Amino acid sequence: MISVLIVTYNSGKCIGACLQSLGQFGEGSIQEIIVVDNGSADATLDQVRRFPNVKLLAAGSNLGFAAAVNRAARTSTGAALLIL
């Protein structure tokens, strides 16, 4: 089972399509989707909240990519990680 980890920052224009496409990818393969938002000032959070099965971790400020990935990895439960 895979945990998909996504780090975002002002990705409101594309995060919805990304999450929608992951939802169409085999349900049996993806255990969870975790989005860490690095303090976006656009509609990113609103877009992510449209997907109730996605775990949203809002950092409040920009942690940087590596710290955000590490935060998501600590909360993940999958046997494998897919980092987007």
Side-chain angles (χ1 to χ4, degrees):
M1 298 299 283
I2 299 170
S3 291
V4 178
L5 314 180
I6 303 171
V7 176
T8 63
Y9 179 74
N10 290 336
S11 303
K13 292 183 180 181
C14 61
I15 191 65
C18 175
L19 295 172
Q20 186 174 3
S21 68
L22 286 170
Q24 295 173 2
F25 184 74
E27 287 183 17
S29 301
I30 296 176
Q31 180 167 330
E32 62 189 345
I33 301 170
I34 301 171
V35 174
V36 180
D37 181 72
N38 268 337
S40 294
D42 67 354
T44 300
L45 295 174
D46 294 332
Q47 291 294 318
V48 174
R49 288 183 181 121
R50 291 180 41 226
F51 298 86
N53 60 325
V54 174
K55 184 185 300 184
L56 174 61
L57 304 174
S61 63
N62 195 329
L63 302 174
F65 182 78
V69 168
N70 287 335
R71 182 174 181 199
R74 282 191 300 273
T75 65
S76 67
T77 59
L81 302 178
L82 173 62
I83 302 169
L84 301 179

